[in-house]
Amino acid sequence: MAVLDLLAPDQRAVVGLVLQQGRSYQEIADLLGISRSAVRARAHAGLATLAPPDAEVPADEAGQLADFLLGQQDEAAERATRELIAGSSDARAWAAGVGERLRELAPDRVPDVPAAASAPRPRPRPAREPAPAATGPSPLRSSKLGGILLIAGTAIVVAVVIAFVVLSGGDDDKGSTTAARPSATPTVTATPRVVGQVQLNGAGSAPKARGAMTLFLIGQQLGFQIQGQNVPPNRSRDRYAVWFTGPGKKADLIGVARGAVGSNGQLGVSGPPTDNAQQFPQQLANHRRVVVSRETQAGAQAPGPIILSGRLPGGSG
């Protein structure tokens, strides 16, 4: 059984994004529209699931060890954790057991576990991470439903769409399976289920861009997750948006990227927004294509310059 299969979907999402894509807790929080502490709690719970049963450490030390193994500590906190591991056989067993499992997933991103100290020493207190600096408001406001769809979408990305991290070119019109048309409200405990995938290819000024749109159900609510790479970085006054288009000049805005695309060229968009959740299945059925565009003005009625495009399954017209 793969390491990620042992974890709950939300834990799998966070651990996978950290180890397979090198994301920080804050980057994942920005992507999902939830707090950094919520992301960190999921990471801690996931690694605790992988811990050896005979390695007993307090919860605060387990969290410290998890942050160390996931590369989420500054220099001072990492030094304190190495001292903890060297001076405590339980902490060392916990870190070694969990680290061994994590290396099955990402051998180059998991640090080595320090050896035992040459002489016994008092167990140091866990280092406290500084509170993250306040950030500006998100382009889209989150809600309970939006948060559920976002964490579910990222779980799907880690479990399925991670295969698109190295995307190859292909026919722009290769479609996917048809999605269902649900209407009820999802629950937090529902298991995400993939119902369709759409390949996205570069367009306009971004011919090397590649991506994938995954359609999934959580409970009976339909949602989507888009992951892209080689996407041009955002400028100071623009943002990326997702549209359904066609036939003809029909266009519906279905999502806006919360975080800016940086020099790594990675784009992530989840949705639909809460106020559009009920209309989303019908919009999916009524349009031909999904496009990602670069927008410079609020309230646009049609896509700006398109950088990614793909054919929707079962589009009419």
Side-chain angles (χ1 to χ4, degrees):
M1 179 180 292
V3 172
L4 290 179
D5 292 339
L6 300 172
L7 309 184
D10 57 344
Q11 300 166 7
R12 185 186 314 149
V14 170
V15 174
L17 285 171
V18 169
L19 291 179
Q20 294 178 311
Q21 295 190 17
R23 302 285 185 112
S24 68
Y25 290 159
Q26 188 60 58
E27 288 173 333
I28 298 171
D30 293 341
L31 175 65
L32 301 180
I34 61 178
S35 69
R36 180 181 181 278
S37 60
V39 172
R40 188 169 182 251
R42 287 165 169 81
H44 290 182
L47 267 61
T49 300
L50 304 177
D54 57 344
E56 299 182 1
V57 297
D60 57 347
E61 291 186 355
Q64 182 182 356
L65 295 169
D67 292 342
F68 168 75
L69 292 172
L70 293 176
Q72 303 294 312
Q73 293 181 326
D74 59 24
E75 185 176 348
E78 180 180 339
R79 182 167 56 251
T81 305
R82 289 184 176 278
E83 292 177 357
L84 168 65
I85 294 171
S88 166
S89 59
D90 282 331
R92 192 161 56 255
W94 196 101
V98 175
E100 182 179 1
R101 300 308 308 272
L102 296 181
R103 288 188 192 92
E104 298 174 19
L105 187 65
D108 297 332
R109 283 203 167 107
V110 181
D112 293 331
V113 174
S118 55
R121 66 183 67 183
R123 291 159 63 94
R125 299 302 301 165
R128 300 292 182 186
E129 288 188 81
T135 58
S138 172
L140 292 178
R141 294 181 64 84
S142 94
S143 68
K144 182 176 181 181
L145 173 59
I148 293 169
L149 292 177
L150 288 165
I151 195 69
T154 304
I156 294 297
V157 171
V158 174
V160 178
V161 186
I162 201 71
F164 291 93
V165 168
V166 181
L167 290 162
S168 58
D171 184 356
D172 182 53
D173 283 337
K174 290 181 180 177
S176 65
T177 56
T178 302
R181 296 186 183 181
S183 59
T185 302
T187 62
V188 176
T189 57
T191 300
R193 179 168 65 88
V194 173
V195 293
Q197 295 176 26
V198 179
Q199 179 176 319
L200 305 177
N201 291 308
S205 62
K208 295 183 179 180
R210 292 291 183 271
M213 178 184 194
T214 297
L215 299 166
F216 61 89
L217 287 171
I218 179 167
Q220 292 185 322
Q221 178 64 58
L222 184 66
F224 75 87
Q225 172 77 20
I226 286 179
Q227 290 280 294
Q229 67 175 53
N230 298 330
V231 175
N234 281 104
R235 303 187 182 99
S236 59
R237 296 182 178 273
D238 65 11
R239 60 180 181 173
Y240 284 109
V242 182
W243 302 76
F244 285 160
T245 65
K249 296 183 178 181
K250 290 176 59 177
D252 283 330
L253 178 66
I254 63 165
V256 178
R258 283 174 165 77
V261 174
S263 58
N264 62 5
Q266 295 181 353
L267 169 72
V269 189
S270 300
T274 304
D275 57 5
N276 192 48
Q278 299 304 316
Q279 294 78 30
F280 180 69
Q282 191 63 46
Q283 291 173 325
L284 176 66
N286 288 343
H287 291 81
R288 283 182 172 177
R289 306 191 70 79
V290 56
V291 301
V292 178
S293 64
R294 188 195 291 268
E295 303 296 332
T296 57
Q297 296 181 349
Q301 300 300 307
I306 294 173
I307 58 97
L308 284 168
S309 177
R311 183 173 65 84
L312 291 172
S316 64

